[in-house]
Amino acid sequence: MPTECSAEHFDFGTVEGRAVEAAFDGGLVSSDAGALLLGATDRAIGLIDRFAACFHDERREDLIEHEVATLVGQRVFGIALGYEDLNDHDELRHDPLMAVLAGKLAARREDCAPVAGKSTLNRLELSKLEPTRYHKISHNPVAIKNLLVDLFVEAHARPPKQIILDLDATDDRLHGEQEGRFFHGYYDCYCYLPLYVFCGRHLLVAKLRSADMDAAAGAVEEVARVIARIRACWPRTRILLRADSGFAREDLMAWCEGNGVDFLFGLARNERLVAEIATELDLVAAKSRRSGRPERRFKTFMWTTRRTWSRRRRVVAKAEWTKGEANPRFVVTSLRRDECKAKYLYEKVYCARGEMENRIKECQLDLYADRTSAATMRANQLRLWFYSMAYVLLCALRRIGLRDTDFANATCGTIRLKLLKIGALVRVSVRRIRIAMASACPAAQDWGRAAIRLAIAAIARASPA
């Protein structure tokens, strides 16, 4: 029998003689009940209020329906829940879970919803550095950048002995006529070239840049700012910068040497470098032909360029023969030979930087950090910070609430799918708001454990030191 559907009622055949019917008439039902963990995480680290404090509001107080903290929280929570478009918020503003997260169940005006729609949020994203007639909310870029570093420092119970800061640039493809668009030959597209700095899973810098510049452009200024703020809290922590060959620039290496910061950068090969390991390449080639397997050797030597470097520096070379051809690789470092042997330095320390690429993929694929479709770079930079704060929030949920669980190393996308996207019936009474989540949720046990841990963390944060 064919399925019969109407605008309000849908039939899906029968199961064991019973008709299967569907309709959007369930009342206060949300598919995002797990977002309660996001609110608990925010209370544990204080992200939303401090992010909102980076904005300045010159609207008339008697006409304000949605506070800045409500707008900022709504945008960050929405991104974490998978709603990258502002258009989504024209429906989400009526979602009961969004109202719960905002701490506001009803609007003061009859023509408004508890939280904001797309137009109000759009004005927030288009805010300028100074308030204007049409954009009365402005933002402070310096305060936002410093907040990312402060959240990183606070995530540690005690100062670590050593941290490794990973730097990388990536492509942010553009499909319009955005300000600052430029065709990048390597990526073969029009794009931005944002600079990221991570320490493990922690995001410290997300700087939007035009693609018509060197990968390391602005790195010295960002590194100097971040390290100064870290050292103000952790003066004895040893810091190592790690990046690919795009950052092996004289100004960055000289700054590190002048400020007591170690570095380990990839080094682009050239004829002079390859000539330094000619003997090692011959040896591994002969050994590979005998064994039929790839072979490698490592060599350390002091080296400098003919013009660009100001001094000789330690270079570690990997002389490798694989698939019937040479595959030499080089890194330059400030670490001494007695501190780190060549093989360990390359294979265990340098190669580990590849993990940062997974963090960038999380930001761009799970949290839409490459969705920079606003007309101006200023607005797109603010968007990038919203995406970054959503990433920080989910990382805090993973670190505090999900440690020692099956989700301790899960990606942001997996956390969203398994723990945030939970269907629930919402009942609002005089005394309570009851959110009845699906009984068959597979992650219910880990969800409950995370909720308890986040509640404890929030109490600890609220308690006087």
Side-chain angles (χ1 to χ4, degrees), residues 162-163 165 227 231 238-242 253 255-257 259-265 333-336 339:
Q162 176 176 302
I163 59 173
L165 302 183
I227 290 179
R231 281 184 166 168
R238 187 175 186 180
I239 300 174
L240 170 68
L241 293 190
R242 184 171 60 187
M253 290 188 289
W255 184 91
C256 291
E257 290 161 343
N259 289 273
V261 176
D262 292 311
F263 62 84
L264 174 58
F265 300 144
T333 184
S334 62
L335 298 173
R336 302 188 308 274
E339 289 180 305

Side-chain angles (χ1 to χ4, degrees), residues 5 12 72 138 150 160 162 166 214 230 232 249 282 321 323 351 380 455:
C5 300
F12 291 93
V72 168
S138 59
D150 292 343
Q162 176 176 302
D166 286 306
D214 183 68
I230 291 174
R249 302 291 185 259
D282 290 340
W321 193 270
K323 297 180 180 179
C351 289
N380 284 323

Side-chain angles (χ1 to χ4, degrees), residues 418 421-424 436-445:
K418 301 292 186 179
K421 290 296 183 179
I422 301 175
M437 292 183 283
S439 301
C441 176
Q445 185 174 357

